[in-house]
Amino acid sequence: MSEAVRVAPKKERPEFRNIHVTELMNYRQPLAAIVSILHRISGVLIFALLPFVLYLLQESLRSEISFAHYQGFVTYPLVKLFILALVWAIMHHMFAGVRHLVMDLHVGLDKDSARKSSAAVLALSLTLTVLVALKLFGVF
């Protein structure tokens, strides 16, 4: 009756800690997560640049004189960069949106095909944006 009671060794519990904003760059996101984050950013960019797009549309349709003013306005490099940012946002948002719609149909949910589809979204949106940039800046 006087046997010593054996105490089982305690297991080390994993330590969960809060992540600070400065530590976010230490974590590597999968490609699908990056595409999803960029999808949100492109949606915000489209919404934020909507007044600029409507202004350009209004100026191009008002009259011949305002269209000539519009053509002069679009030649500024900063305006071209805004247009290029909008083109990237539209391209990326469209391709990532189609990817998300296909995934809603339960197609391509496994890890390998999700990685391939996210790489395709990035490749398509960046390739088409580069082609528009070459046309916009007068390379061809």
Side-chain angles (χ1 to χ4, degrees):
M1 219 166 144
S2 64
E3 293 181 20
V5 178
R6 291 187 182 180
V7 178
K10 290 187 176 182
K11 291 183 179 179
E12 288 289 322
R13 295 183 64 190
E15 180 183 336
F16 297 104
R17 57 188 179 92
N18 293 333
I19 299 173
H20 194 266
V21 174
T22 58
E23 297 174 350
L24 286 178
M25 297 309 288
N26 297 337
Y27 293 93
R28 184 170 176 208
Q29 296 286 334
L31 195 57
I34 293 170
V35 168
S36 180
I37 292 168
L38 287 176
H39 180 73
R40 293 169 190 236
I41 291 172
S42 64
V44 169
L45 193 61
I46 291 170
F47 181 74
L49 290 178
L50 188 62
F52 177 69
V53 171
L54 292 177
Y55 168 74
L56 291 179
L57 181 65
Q58 173 190 353
E59 288 299 311
S60 68
L61 295 176
R62 186 180 304 172
S63 67
E64 291 179 20
I65 296 171
S66 65
F67 184 74
H69 173 70
Y70 163 75
Q71 283 179 325
F73 180 68
V74 173
T75 60
Y76 294 123
L78 186 61
V79 176
K80 287 183 180 183
L81 287 177
F82 276 123
I83 292 172
L84 195 60
L86 182 66
V87 165
W88 170 81
I90 290 171
M91 294 292 177
H92 183 82
H93 201 75
M94 178 184 66
F95 289 128
V98 169
R99 176 182 178 264
H100 286 299
L101 286 174
V102 169
M103 290 177 76
D104 284 343
L105 296 173
H106 301 287
V107 175
L109 292 179
D110 59 305
K111 191 175 185 179
D112 188 46
S113 54
R115 185 181 299 123
K116 287 179 183 176
S117 66
S118 58
V121 165
L122 284 177
L124 282 171
S125 65
L126 291 176
T127 302
L128 290 177
T129 303
V130 167
L131 289 175
V132 169
L134 292 175
K135 181 70 175 169
L136 189 64
F137 287 101
V139 175
F140 57 70

